[in-house]
């Protein structure tokens, strides 16, 4: 059994069985459900590397769901849909899907696309130092804790990962591409707007004056630098 957990959200039982069997034969651990509500519950409860998502589900639109989960979770999303129109694919990819497979599909192609997505899962950011202190902020990577004046701060997984990526090279200019790859993976190296949003979250949580950032410095047109 691999240590990869894949969540399958699909309301057609036959497709679910087919996909589940193919993935389990490859050694993956598979969780499955038929609604977006159950899918969201799994995302909160389990560590999932890849979501395989049908767009037409009884309790809502998968594209809206992708947009929502992108703000909270780090994982690849492969859409499986009977909607073959180009516009639908573009909408899904723009919402944050990593890949799109139109039904009917062959299990061979599905598995190849799953392998491609799992190759994109970003590696843990490696740093030699485990303890950082700047301003009234303390970061302990070993404990995965961030405190401000001794008070524990709540960072989302994406915020924490971005902070770690910046702590890996304090004082150096980190390009948009470098940070996007480190935090979201190769499929997101063009998604500069994600970075703008999450750097602003970190400034809100870690800077005294988020409008005049002292630590999370913008290098216009290039990227960001952590000045600590
Ligand atoms: Ca469906």
């Amino acid at each position: 059994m691999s240590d990869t957990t894949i969540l399958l959200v699909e309301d057609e039982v036959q497709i679910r069985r087919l996909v589940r069997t193919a993935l389990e034969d490859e050694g993956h651990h598979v969780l499955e459900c038929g609604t977006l509500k159950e899918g969201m519950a799994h995302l909160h409860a389990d560590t999932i590397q890849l979501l395989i998502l049908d767009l037409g589900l009884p309790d809502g639109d998968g594209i809206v769901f992708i947009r929502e989960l992108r703000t909270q979770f780090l994982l690849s999303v492969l859409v499986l849909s009977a909607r073959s129109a180009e516009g639908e694919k573009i909408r899904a990819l723009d919402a944050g899907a990593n890949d799109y497979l139109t039904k009917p599909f062959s299990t061979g192609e599905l598995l190849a696309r799953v392998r491609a997505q799992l190759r994109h899962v970003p590696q843990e950011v490696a740093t030699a130092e485990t303890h950082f202190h700047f301003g009234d902020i303390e970061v302990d990577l070993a404990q995965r804790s961030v405190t401000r004046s001794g008070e524990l701060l709540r960072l989302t997984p994406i915020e924490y990962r971005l902070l770690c990526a910046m702590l890996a090279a304090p004082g150096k200019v980190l390009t948009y591409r470098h940070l996007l790859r480190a935090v979201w993976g190769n499929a997101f190296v063009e998604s500069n707007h994600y970075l703008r949003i999450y750097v602003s979250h970190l400034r809100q949580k870690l800077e005294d004056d988020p409008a005049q950032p002292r630590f999370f410095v913008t290098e216009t047109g290039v990227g960001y630098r952590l000045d600590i």
Side-chain angles (χ1 to χ4, degrees), residues 45-75:
D46 306 287
T47 303
I48 291 158
Q49 282 78 34
L50 173 67
L51 167 66
I52 300 180
L53 178 69
D54 178 26
L55 292 186
L57 288 156
D59 61 336
D61 181 10
I63 290 179
V64 176
F65 185 76
I66 296 169
R67 219 169 271 135
E68 191 182 326
L69 72 87
R70 274 283 164 245
T71 63
Q72 303 175 64
F73 302 101
L74 282 166
L75 75 171

Side-chain angles (χ1 to χ4, degrees), residues 74-75 122-123 125 157-166 177-186 188 195 198:
L74 282 166
L75 75 171
Q123 301 302 306
V125 180
I158 294 177
E159 290 162 2
Y160 182 75
R161 196 175 192 102
L162 177 58
L163 176 61
C164 291
M166 295 187 78
R177 278 183 93 80
H178 172 89
L179 289 169
L180 286 162
R181 182 179 290 122
V183 177
W184 282 272
N186 282 329
F188 289 88
L195 211 43
Y198 282 91

Side-chain angles (χ1 to χ4, degrees), residues 122-167:
Q123 301 302 306
E124 278 297 312
V125 180
T127 55
E129 294 279 327
T130 61
H131 197 265
F132 297 87
H133 187 196
F134 52 97
D136 52 4
I137 304 294
E138 294 215 42
V139 182
D140 185 339
L141 297 180
Q143 304 285 338
R144 294 179 77 89
S145 73
V146 182
T147 58
R148 179 167 196 166
S149 307
E151 294 272 318
L152 199 58
L153 286 181
R154 284 181 163 275
L155 298 190
T156 67
I158 294 177
E159 290 162 2
Y160 182 75
R161 196 175 192 102
L162 177 58
L163 176 61
C164 291
M166 295 187 78
L167 285 169

Side-chain angles (χ1 to χ4, degrees), residues 3-76:
D3 56 3
T4 307
T5 301
I6 298 174
L7 173 62
L8 172 60
V9 183
E10 163 68 77
D11 59 335
E12 285 172 68
V13 175
Q14 282 181 334
I15 294 182
R16 233 154 80 184
R17 193 173 305 141
L18 173 81
V19 172
R20 179 184 195 125
T21 306
L23 294 172
E24 286 183 344
D25 285 350
E26 292 270 292
H28 300 302
H29 180 228
V30 181
L31 300 168
E32 60 173 89
C33 58
T35 63
L36 295 173
K37 188 161 178 269
E38 292 167 279
M40 190 51 87
H42 275 299
L43 289 174
H44 280 286
D46 306 287
T47 303
I48 291 158
Q49 282 78 34
L50 173 67
L51 167 66
I52 300 180
L53 178 69
D54 178 26
L55 292 186
L57 288 156
D59 61 336
D61 181 10
I63 290 179
V64 176
F65 185 76
I66 296 169
R67 219 169 271 135
E68 191 182 326
L69 72 87
R70 274 283 164 245
T71 63
Q72 303 175 64
F73 302 101
L74 282 166
L75 75 171
S76 292

